Amino acid sequence: GGPELAAALDALLERLARRHRRQHQEHPSAAVAGTPPPLRRHRRPPSRGVVFATDPWQAETLFFHTGVRVPSIRPSNLYVDRSCIHDASRGSKQVLIHHDRGRCVVCSVFAQVLLRSLPEQYPLQLRHTVDYLSFCAMAQFRALVLIPHGNVMQMFFREAANMGLPT
């Protein structure tokens, strides 16, 4: 609710201000020219505001530093064009092996091992590319083999799920 959120934000600002003051008291040399001014308490935000982190690590870091829990919400794939939805009825035989477009040697080697380890008569074809593909082009494949590599690939997993592409 509104009052609870406002109280949580007040507590967060107060804890950040105390921490900032402690740092400047412990390190008097930080008071030299060019350092940011001490934190000031801001006006209370409207009670209808929403606070969330876009990453679970951000939410946990915020909790660690302030003791305030905020939800972690990933709205990052809402930009995927709704016309780029996977259509299973098309019956494509190609499965896309996707990774970070050649920037990771381990990912590239793993993709090559996958390509070379398929039996000759395997009913699906694995396609590996380091080229950029649009969401609509990726939605044409039967499925996606995602080689995870960091937070960007976690975001891409949600994009593929938003396209309805089996991953």
Side-chain angles (χ1 to χ4, degrees), residues 17-120:
R18 276 197 310 263
R19 183 180 185 152
H20 184 76
R21 285 192 297 270
R22 255 193 330 268
Q23 284 177 324
H24 283 284
Q25 288 171 355
E26 293 170 7
H27 306 287
S29 63
V32 297
T35 59
L39 289 176
R40 295 186 195 129
R41 285 194 60 122
H42 297 286
R43 290 184 317 150
R44 176 181 286 205
S47 62
R48 302 188 87 185
V50 176
V51 175
F52 64 91
T54 58
D55 184 291
W57 293 289
Q58 292 170 348
E60 287 303 311
T61 300
L62 184 63
F63 175 69
F64 175 79
H65 288 291
T66 66
V68 176
R69 285 241 182 244
V70 297
S72 173
I73 302 170
R74 299 245 191 194
S76 57
N77 66 354
L78 299 178
Y79 50 81
V80 174
D81 186 350
R82 298 306 298 163
S83 67
C84 299
I85 300 299
H86 173 71
D87 183 1
S89 68
R90 290 196 179 144
S92 169
K93 296 285 185 189
Q94 288 193 334
V95 175
L96 176 64
I97 300 177
H98 193 285
H99 65 86
D100 66 340
R101 296 191 291 162
R103 293 186 295 262
C104 171
V105 174
V106 174
C107 297
S108 296
V109 169
F110 186 74
Q112 293 305 314
V113 168
L114 282 176
L115 287 168
R116 292 188 177 117
S117 63
L118 282 180
E120 279 188 38

